[in-house]
Amino acid sequence: MSEKRARVADEAVSAVDDDSPCKKHGLTIQTVKKWVTDNEKELTTTLWLTYDHLDLDHVSALKCKVCIQFEDQLTSTRNFNPTFISGSTNFRVLIKLHVWSK
């Protein structure tokens, strides 16, 4: 890694609070919005995907709007995972869990 890149990387890491969950790699709102548009046709993500803000630029959790709305009915169903309601920062895991829970 070049000296300039190393310095920029160090500055970026030190600019984030040490207690922050996004210290080195955080899920950005921009990335989530890209996932939503990229997967809209196949997964209709605008209908069910929602997220919690960690700060102005980062997301703390991805959630399913439908699962949150029907939590009482869904918690007793086969293969239900509370991650749909509590949230996950991993989009691929959230999608896989939803596919298996059908």
Side-chain angles (χ1 to χ4, degrees), residues 8-69:
V8 169
D10 288 341
E11 288 171 2
V13 169
S14 64
V16 177
D17 182 32
D18 287 341
D19 296 331
S20 174
C22 63
K23 182 176 179 181
K24 289 186 181 180
H25 302 287
L27 181 58
T28 64
I29 293 171
Q30 182 179 2
T31 300
V32 173
K33 288 180 179 179
K34 183 179 182 313
W35 288 343
V36 169
T37 51
D38 289 352
N39 294 287
E40 177 58 27
K41 188 173 184 179
E42 182 182 352
L43 303 171
T44 59
T45 47
T46 54
L47 294 177
W48 62 269
L49 186 66
T50 187
Y51 54 90
D52 291 338
H53 294 267
L54 181 62
D55 57 32
L56 290 175
D57 298 322
H58 293 91
V59 170
S60 61
L62 300 170
K63 300 177 180 184
C64 175
K65 293 177 196 176
V66 177
C67 291
I68 292 168
Q69 182 178 354

